[in-house]
Amino acid sequence: MDYINNLIDNGALTDLFFWVFAALTLLCGILVIANPFSRNPVTSAMFLVLTIISMSGLFLLLHAFFLAAVQILVYAGAVIVLFIFVIMLLDLKEEQRRRIKFFGLIMGLLSVGTVVAIFMKAIGSAKLATDAPANAPEGETYALGKLLFTQYTLPFEIVSVLLLVAMIGVILLSKKKLE
Amino acid sequence: MHVGLQHYLAVSMILFCLGLLGVILRRNLLVIYMSLELMLNAANLALVSFSRFNGKLDGQVLVFFIITVAAAEVAVGLALIVALYRKRRSAHVEDLTSMKL
């Protein structure tokens, strides 16, 4: 653990890893939504897995060790498997290359431009930290669990009820006949 | 160049924009759902980096909740898509126009 911490705390190495993981995340993110070689949803799902994994690398660099593990377990392990399962179940034909509507393209670029403009304005006016504070807590399981079961007990219980509701809803939705 | 908070936020912003473009431009319901996941993940990245650079763990707890809610959302959404496909035999948004006036 000390060895890993030393490696992570060493500034230059961390920066290098950041650029690698960020480039991987963005490249795979582009390939999820616009793959020039394949229109198959399975390919998109696979690149989504790669995006998730490289993003959990970014989480590691931010000392969020528990969340990096949860990210891989829940997203790459459960959510993507669910996606693949549904794709196989539906037996989709390859998405035809329909012409992208001009109106849709304009609206998409407009909304993206708005988001970028808001972001630039916010970044420009804010004084952002370049270094984490020296006593920044590690996102390890113990610290996170302690916070989760003391300060955030009520949201935790509510989220568990939400999961139950989602489960019942899914069972109802996937019954053969909806009454 | 030393990597600071703004670099993480920039990555998060670009990822969010990619997801937004995917939701608007793609026609396959499943790919639209994957783009939604991308947007949620971008928000997660922003929260974790804020949590790190402010020296507090509350952001990470929030990310934990977001991951839980996203998992529930994916389960319900995919069940809806399957139910829809059973009725219409299609998962293209252009074929789902019964609520159009």
Side-chain angles (χ1 to χ4, degrees), chain A residues 28 42 58 77 143 154 161 172 179:
Chain A
C28 296
V42 179
L58 284 180
L154 184 62
V161 174
L172 269 180
E179 267 108 345

Side-chain angles (χ1 to χ4, degrees), chain A residues 84-137:
Chain A
I84 299 280
F85 196 72
V86 168
I87 292 170
M88 300 295 175
L89 200 70
L90 295 192
D91 187 27
L92 291 174
K93 287 163 279 295
E94 189 127 329
E95 185 181 0
Q96 302 104 313
R97 240 174 228 286
R98 303 192 185 190
R99 213 161 53 81
I100 289 178
K101 284 203 183 109
F102 185 67
F103 183 67
L105 192 65
I106 293 291
M107 276 310 165
L109 290 181
L110 202 67
S111 42
V112 165
T114 315
V115 171
V116 172
I118 293 172
F119 177 80
M120 287 303 171
K121 201 153 165 48
I123 285 282
S125 61
K127 222 164 75 39
L128 292 175
T130 51
D131 272 307
N135 58 349

Side-chain angles (χ1 to χ4, degrees), chain A residues 15 18 33 52 55 62 71 75 90 92 95 98 111 119 129-131 133 137 139 143 148 152 159 175, chain B residues 1-3 5 8 13 15 18 24 26 30 37 41 52-53 55 57-58 60 64 68 70 85-86 92 94:
Chain A
D15 287 2
F18 169 79
I33 66 157
I52 299 291
M55 184 171 283
L62 288 166
Q71 177 95 347
Y75 271 108
L90 295 192
L92 291 174
E95 185 181 0
R98 303 192 185 190
S111 42
F119 177 80
T130 51
D131 272 307
L148 204 59
Y152 290 94
V159 152
K175 271 206 317 198
Chain B
M1 192 163 52
H2 188 63
V3 172
L5 178 53
Y8 284 99
M13 188 265 299
L15 208 62
L18 280 177
I24 293 174
R26 288 303 292 262
L30 285 159
E37 290 305 307
N41 268 303
R52 169 72 181 155
F53 284 94
L57 276 183
D58 301 62
Q60 296 195 14
F64 182 78
T68 320
Y85 186 81
R86 243 193 247 139
H92 268 89
E94 282 164 351

Side-chain angles (χ1 to χ4, degrees), chain A residues 60 117 149:
Chain A
L60 276 184
F149 288 112

Side-chain angles (χ1 to χ4, degrees), chain B residues 14 21 25 33 39 47 55 59-61 66 94-95 97 101:
Chain B
I14 297 172
L21 270 181
L25 292 180
Y33 249 81
M39 290 164 80
L47 277 171
Q60 296 195 14
V61 177
I66 291 179
E94 282 164 351
D95 300 331
T97 53
L101 284 175

